Amino acid sequence: MRIKISHAGNYLRGDMYERKTAEETRQFLLAVAAEALKSGVDRVLISVHSSRPIFRVQGFGLAEFFETIASRPAHRIATIADSYEGQLAQQYVVTLARLRGLNVRSFGSEAQAIAWLQAQ
């Protein structure tokens, strides 16, 4: 697995490549959350590339990630995936996040995700 976390305008971008396990996802999410806290950014784009979709969310570190991001009142989290299966898995996670009151959306294109993150 490879990850890249960078600042892009008013949002933080986390790219994850070739993820295979829930533990790798947990490590990625914790790294993104730590950078968001450190930099004070409340908008995050999570982009998943060439990764195996995982539909069981136990062990993902989602609870910690949600708590960290939700601590910022203006938070927005956008997710994108480069495969249909990855998008389906993300939609499931987004549903769980939204049930917790988080402002999270899954998008079919990067342009749509960025437009939503940058909207006021």
Side-chain angles (χ1 to χ4, degrees):
M1 175 189 73
R2 291 182 301 119
I3 66 170
K4 179 180 176 187
I5 301 172
S6 58
H7 293 267
N10 68 335
Y11 65 94
L12 184 67
R13 179 185 179 108
D15 289 279
M16 180 172 52
Y17 301 86
E18 300 167 354
R19 185 240 20 248
K20 294 181 178 107
T21 68
E23 175 59 25
E24 289 173 336
T25 300
R26 189 183 74 72
Q27 292 170 7
F28 169 72
L29 291 175
L30 291 176
V32 170
E35 181 59 30
L37 271 182
K38 182 176 96 175
S39 63
V41 173
D42 57 8
R43 295 174 187 220
V44 177
L45 172 63
I46 295 175
S47 182
V48 179
H49 312 270
S50 302
S51 295
R52 194 187 90 190
I54 299 174
F55 292 94
R56 293 185 62 217
V57 297
Q58 293 81 7
F60 264 54
L62 286 174
E64 297 93 339
F65 180 74
F66 291 160
E67 287 174 21
T68 301
I69 298 300
S71 68
R72 306 203 45 91
H75 74 276
R76 285 187 184 198
I77 305 166
T79 67
I80 57 174
D82 64 358
S83 71
Y84 177 72
E85 294 82 6
Q87 289 172 358
L88 288 176
Q90 284 182 353
Q91 288 172 4
Y92 174 64
V93 171
V94 164
T95 299
L96 295 176
R98 292 179 73 90
L99 289 172
R100 289 179 165 231
L102 297 173
N103 194 7
V104 182
R105 293 190 186 170
S106 178
F107 292 89
S109 79
E110 185 172 324
Q112 291 172 326
I114 292 170
W116 180 71
L117 286 172
Q118 293 180 329
Q120 295 303 321

